[in-house]
Each structure stands twice: as structure tokens, then as C-alpha cells.
Amino acid sequence: MIATNLHGSVAPTRETYEELQVAYDHFNEQLFGGTLPSCLITLQREKRTFGYFSPARFASLTGTTTDEIALNPTYFAVVPIVETLQTLAHEMVHLWQEHLGKPGRGRYHNDEWASKMESIGLMPSSTGQPGGKRTGDMMADYAITGGRFLGACEALLTGSFKLSWYDRFPSEEHVRIGAQSQATRIEGIQGTTVPMSSNQALASAIRPGGNVRNPAALQTSGTESGHIQSPNNSNRIKYTCGGCKSISVWGKPRISLICGVCKSAFIST
């Protein structure tokens, strides 16, 4: 039986983690030949990281252990879903190396890890952009055009797969990172636009740079249900590239922005 909330919809916890498990299983089959063991996927707001892998982090009542792959939900609304899936695949390579390879010392991403990343269609890069270092302690990546990862993404995203829930309060830094994502430059597949700029309902709910609800600042909406909302005190407005149309950022009123892709001016929307 599928758990639902009082309104009859699927419970957000179940919905979120079932979606992430679907993505894990899909990539395990398509990119790793089904060789990876199961793990526990969690959501963690670690600063300055999209995600991480922690071997044998959890233990059960029977004494068995399982690895953890953590994803940072703060980025979900401000980076393309392809980049969120890249993070999952990136950490799955660490899991592969833990069980079937030889991990580097500490946090070091070694040559074996980098070669496996390339084999599944992700180019390791210390900057997340072309030209970055291939190995190191702090590593990002970008999708290889025509590679296996994008093929697996295309198969997943043309189906019914989606991410249903998003953090409403990304920082301004997260928004800037999303606008600069290499994934926004990929053509021909779904999931390469920033969710908060491609979905109007989500865009209306997101408050970049805002604070999590403060009980002292709440006011009632005046409806019969007594539903309460926090006012928007972020003093930020949305700007969209006048040329690309697909790139949006949030910033203070009256700032001047130029798109690094097409060199057009951003327009407040």
C-alpha cells in the first residue's frame, strides 16, 4: 500500500526517496551493469558540496552495514535535473570503487576513479568545466556529449521520472552556480533547464536568499483554513536572459547582468 497524507496525495517522504531509488536502480543497470550493491540514499545540506559518499555508514539491527550516498537538496531547484543526476552517478562511481576497485587516500579522487567516470560518460574536472584537473581532492564533472550518461539520462527523463520536491530557500550562491552549469548547454534531451526557471508554480514558491520560516514573522493568510505563510523579505527579483530565455538568476533590483553564453542582457521578469 502506498502511503498518502491527509489530503490523499502520496506522502512527500515516500515520493522523494522512491524517485531517487528509481534513478539509482536505472543508472546501476545502464551504467554499471547491475553490479552495485544497494545503499542508503539521504538528503544532507552540507556546505559547498552537491553530495558525498560514505562507505558502510549505516548498520542494521542484524549488524549488517550499508553505504550512504548523500545529495544536497539545496541545489535541486537551481541546477538542471541532469546535474543533480550527475551528482548521483558521481557518488555511485565512489561506491563502485569501494566494492570493486581501490579508492584513493582520504578524499582523493584518483586515476581509477577518473577513468571509471569517463567510461560512464562523465568527464571529471576540478572546476566542473572543460580544462579542469582530472584528479584531486575536490572534484566536479560534466557530461560528455554522446556519452553513456546522457544516453541513460535521456532514457530516464523521457519516461515518467521526475523530482517532485524542492528546497524553497537556495542561497544566492547556489543560484549563480545553477546559471553557470555546463548542463544548461546540453542540447537535444530533457532536464537541461533550471527547474525554478522552467516551472512557473515552482518559481513562485522559491525564495532565493530568503530565510527558513521564522515563527515570529508569520502572519495568517486570512483564509478559513487558517493556513499561514511567511512574507517574502528576500528583496530579490528574477532576471531572465533576453537571448537564451532558458537561463534565469535572482538578484537585487536594478543590477545589470550580461549572459556569458549569448552576451545578451538579463531582463527582470
Side-chain angles (χ1 to χ4, degrees):
M1 184 178 74
I2 298 178
T4 60
N5 60 26
L6 294 177
H7 301 288
S9 58
V10 178
T13 299
R14 179 181 292 271
E15 191 169 30
T16 296
Y17 285 96
E18 283 187 348
E19 289 167 351
L20 294 176
Q21 187 64 52
V22 165
Y24 181 92
D25 291 342
H26 177 77
F27 288 141
N28 188 13
E29 184 63 32
Q30 295 295 314
L31 302 178
F32 299 90
T35 60
L36 301 187
S38 297
C39 70
L40 183 54
I41 301 173
T42 66
L43 299 180
Q44 306 284 350
R45 290 187 181 87
E46 290 287 330
K47 290 184 178 179
R48 292 181 293 279
T49 182
F50 284 77
Y52 63 80
F53 168 75
S54 184
R57 185 60 182 261
F58 288 90
S60 72
L61 292 174
T62 63
T64 58
T65 62
T66 193
D67 307 317
E68 176 188 24
I69 287 180
L71 301 176
N72 189 341
T74 308
Y75 289 97
F76 285 8
V78 297
V79 302
I81 190 171
V82 164
E83 183 147 338
T84 297
L85 295 175
Q86 280 176 225
T87 301
L88 176 60
H90 175 128
E91 305 308 336
M92 290 174 72
V93 173
H94 283 301
L95 189 149
W96 168 86
Q97 193 173 40
E98 178 69 24
H99 293 274
L100 300 171
K102 295 186 67 175
R105 49 101 182 125
R107 296 189 303 175
Y108 187 74
H109 298 67
N110 62 17
D111 187 70
E112 180 188 64
W113 173 85
S115 295
K116 186 64 175 179
M117 287 283 284
E118 291 182 40
S119 76
I120 69 166
L122 293 175
M123 180 59 68
S125 168
S126 57
T127 64
Q129 307 285 334
K133 293 181 179 179
R134 185 171 175 270
T135 60
D137 285 326
M138 302 296 290
M139 294 297 298
D141 54 79
Y142 59 91
I144 298 172
T145 302
R148 296 174 62 210
F149 171 76
L150 286 182
C153 269
E154 185 173 17
L156 181 66
L157 295 172
T158 53
S160 59
F161 180 83
K162 65 181 182 301
L163 292 180
S164 299
W165 294 93
Y166 297 83
D167 191 328
R168 292 184 58 214
F169 302 102
S171 72
E172 294 176 33
E173 178 185 6
H174 296 146
V175 175
R176 287 194 296 270
I177 290 172
Q180 297 166 0
S181 169
Q182 281 289 114
T184 62
R185 297 164 172 78
I186 299 171
E187 299 179 351
I189 69 169
Q190 298 180 36
T192 59
T193 58
V194 174
M196 77 172 198
S197 66
S198 58
N199 183 290
Q200 186 59 49
L202 181 62
S204 298
I206 300 297
R207 298 290 183 268
N211 296 317
V212 177
R213 183 180 298 191
N214 178 356
L218 293 179
Q219 58 186 17
T220 61
S221 64
T223 62
E224 185 175 342
S225 65
H227 174 71
I228 54 178
Q229 299 175 324
S230 58
N232 177 17
N233 294 322
S234 64
N235 193 31
R236 299 291 184 268
I237 62 176
K238 183 180 177 182
Y239 296 87
T240 300
C241 173
C244 297
K245 305 296 186 184
S246 63
I247 301 177
S248 297
V249 298
W250 291 77
K252 294 181 179 180
R254 295 181 297 280
I255 62 174
S256 178
L257 299 171
I258 299 295
C259 178
V261 177
C262 70
K263 309 304 180 184
S264 298
F266 278 71
I267 303 169
S268 60
T269 57

